[in-house]
C-alpha cells in the first residue's frame, strides 16, 4: 500500500480477519481475480456496490454496464468514493483505482467506456459488496 493515510485504517491482522484470502490478495496486495469468476459480474438489480473492506458506497447499479472483459464495469463512481494512482506494474502504465476511505485496491479505470463519461471502471468483483435497493 502507499504511504497515504486513509480515514479507515486496520492492522494487517485485522484486514486478514475481515477479508477472505482472495479479497486480501486483491484489495491489499493489488491482485486481480480471474475474469468471469465473480457473481457480481452478472448482478443486474438496482442497488449499490460498496467496498468490501470498509462498506463505503462506490458505484450505483444504474452506471454498471457489460464491457465483455469479465469484470464488473461502471461509468462513474459515487462522488468522492474512489481515488486513482498511476500503476506501472507488468511493464505498462495504467490508472489504478482504490477506495478513498480505506485505500483498498479495486481495479483500474480506462478511457474506452461508453458515453456519457467515456470511462470504464473495471473493478474486481471480490472488492465489492452489493446491497439491493429497498
Amino acid at each position: 500500500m502507499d504511504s497515504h493515510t486513509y480515514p479507515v485504517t486496520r492492522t494487517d491482522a485485522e484486514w486478514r480477519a475481515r477479508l477472505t484470502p482472495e479479497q486480501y490478495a486483491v484489495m491489499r496486495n493489488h491482485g486481480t481475480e480471474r475474469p468471469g469468476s465473480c457473481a457480481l459480474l452478472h448482478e443486474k438489480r438496482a442497488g449499490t456496490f460498496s467496498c468490501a473492506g470498509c462498506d463505503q458506497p462506490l458505484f450505483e447499479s444504474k452506471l454498471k454496464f457489460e464491457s465483455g472483459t469479465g469484470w464488473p464495469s461502471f461509468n462513474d463512481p459515487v462522488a468522492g468514493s474512489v481515488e486513482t494512482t498511476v500503476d506501472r506494474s507488468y511493464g505498462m502504465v495504467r490508472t489504478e483505482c482504490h477506495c478513498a476511505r480505506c485505500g483498498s485496491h479495486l481495479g483500474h479505470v480506462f478511457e474506452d467506456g461508453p458515453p456519457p463519461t467515456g470511462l470504464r471502471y473495471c473493478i474486481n468483483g471480490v472488492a465489492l459488496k452489493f446491497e439491493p435497493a429497498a
Side-chain angles (χ1 to χ4, degrees), residues 51 58-59 82 97-99 104-108 122-124 127-128:
C51 177
L58 299 171
F59 299 97
V82 173
C97 53
H98 56 271
C99 176
S104 290
H105 172 74
L106 302 172
H108 292 86
C122 187
I123 307 299
N124 289 286
L128 301 172

Side-chain angles (χ1 to χ4, degrees), residues 22-35:
E22 186 180 20
Q23 286 174 318
Y24 184 87
V26 168
M27 299 175 73
R28 305 313 298 170
N29 288 328
H30 301 261
T32 301
E33 69 189 359
R34 275 187 358 268

Side-chain angles (χ1 to χ4, degrees), residues 4-102:
H4 180 75
T5 301
Y6 296 95
V8 172
T9 58
R10 294 185 169 87
T11 66
D12 188 63
E14 289 170 331
W15 281 117
R16 288 181 186 277
R18 180 177 178 91
L19 304 173
T20 68
E22 186 180 20
Q23 286 174 318
Y24 184 87
V26 168
M27 299 175 73
R28 305 313 298 170
N29 288 328
H30 301 261
T32 301
E33 69 189 359
R34 275 187 358 268
S37 65
C38 181
L40 290 181
L41 175 62
H42 306 291
E43 180 59 65
K44 304 225 186 296
R45 296 175 290 172
T48 302
F49 294 85
S50 298
C51 177
C54 71
D55 302 321
Q56 170 162 265
L58 299 171
F59 299 97
E60 296 296 331
S61 62
K62 65 185 174 195
L63 295 176
K64 184 175 187 279
F65 65 94
E66 178 52 54
S67 65
T69 61
W71 291 279
S73 297
F74 303 87
N75 282 105
D76 215 9
V78 171
S81 68
V82 173
E83 295 178 344
T84 61
T85 56
V86 175
D87 175 2
R88 290 187 168 84
S89 63
Y90 303 106
M92 60 183 111
V93 178
R94 300 178 289 173
T95 302
E96 177 196 350
C97 53
H98 56 271
C99 176
R101 184 185 287 168
C102 71

